[in-house]
């Protein structure tokens, strides 16, 4: 597609259609989720309340109690989906996701440190999770560096780092008193319960900065899939782009974990599902973002409605579904001879 100014833009019609459908699915699931609860609200009334045309009671429930939770779910899912797509593209490995590399566990270690050793507030726990995720990402990058960061070395270092940080988390739990240990376990499950506008704005601001930055470097990331030598020949500053996108992926993952806890497997499954829908070999950044948002709000609805009176944390639902998907992915990769 050419613009009047002479700019040429390649548009993948199928990928664009997938993005639109996923956005519609995420928005529809969000409206249904907002209307779900002890005081059910029909979808039409939810839309009226969102546009300021409902009655006062419904507007309060929708805008103050339920909308922030749904927005956090959308932003967390989008952040994890995009972060997972970046890590998988950089490592050139479908297992190269924050779940496998240990970034979620690193953020958990930061949060546990604040909870167990400092008895910190919710804001301090969020800051601790963010610092823990960033420190873990920096450690993985430095340990995996050897004249550049490449595929399986990044994954193997990440798996080792994940094992170390998981052991640290277990140690911290053994040192916690009963109240702090209970609080820590609830946070470690991954949940959207009790989320309000104070979690929405920081995550929204971060996404507003990082998402355009990542999409602006999508061409360089696509070139890097052909190998570093070809990318250098095409004018891509490989290590600069790789470093920039890895920092963005770590920030997205750490911020999502800080906002909702370590919600597992969304970052692993969203890029792969998006790739299968678009049938495109590229990084599929925007489809992965939309898929992550749709997956998380759908899983949150399932956690509230699919188990009768029992409401589960959303991390339990994504963990079960993602674990099944991971087993299938490992079997498929083994049959293809890639592992």
């Amino acid at each position: 597609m050419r613009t009047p100014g002479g700019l040429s833009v390649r548009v993948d019609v199928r990928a664009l259609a997938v993005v639109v459908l996923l956005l519609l699915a995420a928005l529809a699931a969000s409206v249904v989720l907002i209307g779900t609860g002890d005081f059910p609200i029909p979808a039409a009334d939810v839309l009226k309340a969102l546009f300021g045309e409902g009655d006062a009671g419904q507007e309060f429930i929708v805008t103050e109690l339920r909308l922030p939770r749904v927005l956090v779910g959308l932003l967390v899912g989008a952040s994890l989906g995009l972060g997972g797509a970046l890590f998988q593209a950089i490592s050139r490995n479908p297992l190269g996701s924050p779940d496998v590399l240990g970034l979620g566990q690193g953020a958990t270690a930061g949060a546990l440190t604040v909870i167990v050793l400092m008895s910190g507030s919710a804001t301090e726990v969020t800051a601790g999770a963010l610092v823990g995720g960033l420190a873990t990402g920096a450690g993985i990058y430095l340990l995996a560096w050897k004249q550049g960061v490449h595929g399986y070395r990044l994954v193997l270092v990440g798996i080792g780092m994940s094992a170390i940080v998981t052991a640290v988390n277990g140690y911290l739990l053994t040192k916690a008193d009963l109240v702090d240990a209970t609080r820590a376990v609830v946070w470690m499950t991954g949940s959207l319960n009790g989320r309000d506008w104070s979690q929405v704005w920081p995550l929204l601001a971060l996404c507003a900065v990082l998402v355009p930055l990542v999409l602006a470097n999508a061409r360089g990331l696509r070139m890097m899939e052909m190998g570093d030598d070809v990318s250098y020949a095409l004018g891509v500053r490989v290590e600069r782009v790789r470093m920039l996108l890895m920092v963005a992926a770590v920030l997205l993952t750490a911020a999502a974990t800080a906002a909702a806890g370590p919600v597992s497997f969304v970052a692993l499954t969203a890029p792969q599902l998006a790739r299968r829908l678009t049938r495109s070999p590229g990084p599929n950044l925007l489809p992965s973002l939309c898929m992550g948002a749709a997956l998380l709000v759908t899983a949150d609805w399932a956690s509230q409605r699919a188990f009768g009176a029992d409401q589960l944390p959303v991390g339990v639902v994504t963990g079960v579904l993602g674990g099944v998907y991971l087993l299938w992915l490992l079997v498929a990769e083994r049959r293809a001879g890639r592992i």
Side-chain angles (χ1 to χ4, degrees):
M1 183 177 69
R2 290 185 178 275
T3 64
L7 178 64
S8 178
V9 179
R10 181 179 178 272
V11 177
D12 188 328
V13 177
R14 183 183 179 91
L16 181 61
V18 168
V19 168
V20 172
L21 291 175
L22 288 174
L23 282 175
L24 292 175
L27 293 175
S30 299
V31 171
V32 173
L33 183 57
I34 290 173
T36 300
D38 294 334
F39 184 78
I41 302 175
D45 291 339
V46 170
L47 293 174
K48 288 180 181 179
L50 290 174
F51 288 102
E53 298 177 357
D55 62 60
Q58 288 182 344
E59 284 191 18
F60 174 78
I61 293 173
V62 169
T63 60
E64 297 298 327
L65 300 182
R66 297 180 183 175
L67 181 59
R69 173 194 177 113
V70 172
L71 290 177
V72 170
L74 289 170
L75 291 170
V76 167
S79 300
L80 292 175
L82 183 57
L86 288 172
F87 273 114
Q88 290 179 21
I90 290 171
S91 65
R92 302 175 200 165
N93 191 317
L95 296 178
S97 80
D99 303 298
V100 177
L101 298 180
L103 292 176
Q105 291 87 338
T108 301
L112 284 179
T113 300
V114 174
I115 293 173
V116 174
L117 301 182
M118 307 175 187
S119 298
S121 64
T123 302
E124 292 170 337
V125 170
T126 300
L130 189 60
V131 171
L134 291 174
T136 304
I140 293 172
Y141 187 88
L142 292 175
L143 291 173
W145 174 270
K146 185 180 180 182
Q147 297 179 345
V149 175
H150 302 284
Y152 279 101
R153 186 162 66 242
L154 179 68
V155 174
L156 291 174
V157 170
I159 291 173
M161 182 68 74
S162 176
I164 293 172
V165 178
T166 299
V168 172
N169 292 342
Y171 172 78
L172 289 172
L173 282 176
T174 63
K175 293 299 181 180
D177 58 37
L178 183 59
V179 174
D180 287 340
T182 303
R183 181 185 173 198
V185 170
V186 170
W187 189 91
M188 289 171 62
T189 304
S191 175
L192 297 175
N193 292 336
R195 297 306 182 263
D196 56 28
W197 291 104
S198 64
Q199 281 89 28
V200 173
W201 299 121
L203 192 54
L204 181 60
L206 186 71
C207 289
V209 173
L210 292 181
V211 171
L213 179 65
V214 169
L215 295 180
N217 287 273
R219 180 183 177 276
L221 185 62
R222 182 183 289 272
M223 295 297 103
M224 286 163 56
E225 290 190 340
M226 295 187 292
D228 289 0
D229 293 338
V230 175
S231 301
Y232 278 121
L234 293 173
V236 178
R237 301 174 65 179
V238 174
E239 287 306 324
R240 178 179 177 276
V241 173
R242 183 179 287 130
M243 169 73 82
L244 178 66
L245 294 180
M246 280 197 67
V247 170
V250 170
L251 282 171
L252 287 167
T253 304
T257 305
V263 179
S264 57
F265 288 116
V266 173
L268 175 68
T269 57
Q272 294 299 313
L273 293 176
R275 181 185 295 256
R276 281 159 175 77
L277 287 177
T278 61
R279 298 179 185 174
S280 172
N284 290 290
L285 298 180
L286 199 55
S288 299
L289 181 151
C290 298
M291 177 63 76
L295 277 178
L296 195 55
V297 293
T298 303
D300 192 32
W301 177 87
S303 70
Q304 295 186 51
R305 305 297 295 176
F307 302 94
D310 296 326
Q311 293 190 9
L312 299 179
V314 67
V316 174
V317 177
T318 61
V320 171
L321 297 178
V324 173
Y325 177 81
L326 176 59
L327 291 176
W328 175 85
L329 180 62
L330 289 172
V331 171
E333 291 292 302
R334 180 176 177 82
R335 288 178 176 174
R338 288 189 285 267
I339 59 174

